[in-house]
Amino acid sequence: MDQFDDNAPLHLETLALRTGQLHTDEGAHGEPIFTTSSYVFTSAAQAAARFSGEEPGNIYSRFTNPTVRAFEQRLAALEGAERCVATASGMAAILSTVMALLQAGDEIISSRSVFGTTNVLFDKYFKRFGVNTTFVSLTDFSEWEAAITPQTKLFFLETPSNPLCEVADVQKLADLAHRNGAILVVDNCFCTPALQRPLALGADIALHSATKFLDGQGRCIGGAVCGRNDLMEEVFGFLRSAGPSMSPFNAWVFLKGLETLSLRMQAHSANALRLADWLEQHPAVEKVFYAGLPSHPQHLLARSQQDAFGGVLSFRVKGGREAAWQVIDDTRFLSITGNLGDAKTTITHPATTTHGRLSDEAKARAGITENLVRVAVGLEHIDDIKADLARGLSRLI
């Protein structure tokens, strides 16, 4: 837990409001947005000192901006990280991490239960540069052990996973990675530090698509990488040179999102649990995937490493793609979109949207079936969400 001058530790809710606050001579209570591309130096000597790193300070907003820095400091405090590097998107966060820390000949072991675009980035683009990935079951520890080679340098996973809400034992995988000279990277998008802190569980890096719950209202695109100073310095170096940078305006929006993160995540989780309970009893539903349900195979594990179960669930309807699409199309106010983490409930068909670029074989291995529907449960009244889904589900009985 971060500490201020009096050494009294502060709770996450307070850190989310007070860390990284920017104060100017104008006396504004809210943080300003520094919309500038460059900065003026007092002399040529100061410019040289800034560019060489001899003197700290702003240089160019591709890699030094006060608003972005405030967001980085705040998220680092929430994750319990030494440092955070903000990026242009969640995918840019993954790209920056791998490009900064790996080289040709290195190998990644990744859960196959990851976002579809993450799978494509690993399996297609990194491979072109000599970094190969082995995909394994998120929950089968023996597969992680068997996949290790002398070239393994990085473990990658999402927990809970997208969209089947599988849960990994972070501490156990961290220990395995470290025994074999690898680092563990955890995508913490579904839980956020309000519900789960991967670094405290042994992970080396926590990644985010800030686009999702950190924003909370579907307004901006952004990402973040949180971890130790030595690792983050390499990630920062890549960002400085390659430029997948977060804009100051987006950083300001995310700062506002973090202020209500804890409250929102508890509300999302409460709604999602009630919806999952209801769906599990519905005669048109074949199976529900949500770690908050006692029937979930990793329910106890999730309880041990999460403060709540998050706002995303998925379920299989009785039927195929036509039945899944019918449930989606019969909704009246649920937003049909591939995004998640919004205050508004969203619904999508993963097999043809978020995971649509995967091969049929890869979808089958990841459990992405044609009758699967994903719901990112928002903050509307739970009875209204149920009623909107009931309209389509009732037609399947």
Side-chain angles (χ1 to χ4, degrees):
M1 199 170 286
D2 199 14
Q3 295 185 339
F4 278 53
D5 291 345
D6 61 1
N7 292 320
L10 299 177
H11 293 83
L12 183 140
E13 293 86 350
T14 306
L15 296 174
L17 285 157
R18 296 296 182 177
T19 306
Q21 276 193 298
L22 294 169
H23 297 289
T24 71
D25 292 339
E26 300 297 334
H29 192 220
E31 292 87 354
I33 308 174
F34 286 86
T35 54
T36 181
S37 58
S38 62
Y39 303 87
V40 177
F41 308 107
T42 59
S43 66
Q46 186 188 57
R50 291 276 182 90
F51 272 82
S52 69
E54 294 176 11
E55 176 184 306
N58 298 314
I59 300 172
Y60 189 62
S61 276
R62 184 177 72 245
F63 57 98
T64 50
N65 179 276
T67 314
V68 175
R69 185 162 56 249
F71 166 71
E72 291 172 333
Q73 291 172 347
R74 188 168 295 179
L75 184 58
L78 298 185
E79 282 286 9
E82 292 180 351
R83 186 175 177 184
C84 169
V85 178
T87 61
S89 68
M91 294 310 303
I94 299 173
L95 172 70
S96 299
T97 299
V98 173
M99 294 296 287
L101 301 178
L102 302 188
Q103 61 186 4
D106 290 343
E107 295 179 359
I108 298 169
I109 303 176
S110 172
S111 160
R112 64 175 62 98
S113 302
V114 292
F115 177 47
T117 304
T118 302
N119 187 300
V120 173
L121 183 63
F122 284 4
D123 199 36
K124 181 178 180 181
Y125 293 104
F126 288 152
K127 186 180 293 185
R128 293 180 181 177
F129 295 92
V131 176
N132 292 318
T133 303
T134 300
F135 292 95
V136 298
S137 165
L138 177 65
T139 58
D140 189 338
F141 187 74
S142 65
E143 288 194 21
W144 292 86
E145 288 182 305
I148 296 170
T149 74
Q151 289 73 45
T152 300
K153 296 296 186 292
L154 187 146
F155 287 15
F156 185 92
L157 59 90
E158 299 173 11
T159 184
S161 68
N162 182 13
L164 297 183
C165 300
E166 295 175 302
V167 176
D169 189 326
V170 176
Q171 183 65 67
K172 192 173 181 179
L173 287 173
D175 291 343
L176 178 65
H178 298 158
R179 286 199 304 270
N180 290 277
I183 63 172
L184 175 62
V185 179
V186 175
D187 186 328
N188 199 27
C189 177
F190 270 30
C191 277
T192 81
L195 303 184
Q196 175 177 262
R197 303 180 88 187
L199 302 183
L201 296 170
D204 300 285
I205 291 175
L207 283 172
H208 287 277
S209 170
T211 313
K212 310 303 191 293
F213 289 108
L214 298 190
D215 175 2
Q217 294 186 45
R219 297 166 292 191
C220 292
I221 302 291
V225 189
C226 305
R228 301 194 312 267
N229 268 325
D230 60 328
L231 298 177
M232 294 306 98
E233 184 62 26
E234 292 297 321
V235 175
F236 174 75
F238 176 78
L239 179 132
R240 176 173 182 165
S241 299
S245 312
M246 179 179 287
S247 81
F249 177 79
N250 289 9
W252 180 83
V253 171
F254 297 140
L255 277 168
K256 298 297 102 180
L258 291 179
E259 291 182 354
T260 60
L261 180 63
S262 183
L263 290 170
R264 288 187 289 102
M265 293 309 297
Q266 291 296 331
H268 282 294
S269 298
N271 262 0
L273 181 57
R274 292 181 65 184
L275 184 64
D277 280 330
W278 175 76
L279 286 168
E280 195 168 46
Q281 306 304 317
H282 199 287
V285 173
E286 188 176 273
K287 185 174 179 62
V288 180
F289 301 91
Y290 185 66
L293 294 173
S295 59
H296 189 284
Q298 292 97 44
H299 174 68
L300 294 179
L301 174 61
R303 286 183 60 183
S304 72
Q305 64 184 28
Q306 298 171 207
D307 291 332
F309 302 102
V312 182
L313 60 84
S314 60
F315 59 96
R316 290 182 179 142
V317 297
K318 293 180 178 177
R321 179 190 293 188
E322 183 178 346
W325 281 14
Q326 180 173 293
V327 172
I328 294 169
D329 291 347
D330 280 351
T331 60
R332 291 180 182 171
F333 70 82
L334 269 59
S335 303
I336 304 175
T337 176
N339 194 34
L340 60 91
D342 200 303
K344 305 178 186 72
T345 299
T346 67
I347 188 168
T348 195
H349 183 246
T352 53
T353 59
T354 57
H355 293 69
R357 288 194 289 167
L358 300 185
S359 67
D360 291 342
E361 182 182 359
K363 288 178 192 175
R365 287 198 303 266
I368 311 299
T369 57
E370 290 292 334
N371 63 341
L372 184 72
V373 176
R374 189 191 74 191
V375 177
V377 186
L379 304 180
E380 303 95 344
H381 195 284
I382 186 59
D383 290 344
D384 295 329
I385 299 172
K386 290 178 185 177
D388 214 23
L389 285 169
R391 189 175 297 106
L393 289 170
S394 65
R395 296 175 60 191
L396 304 182
I397 302 172

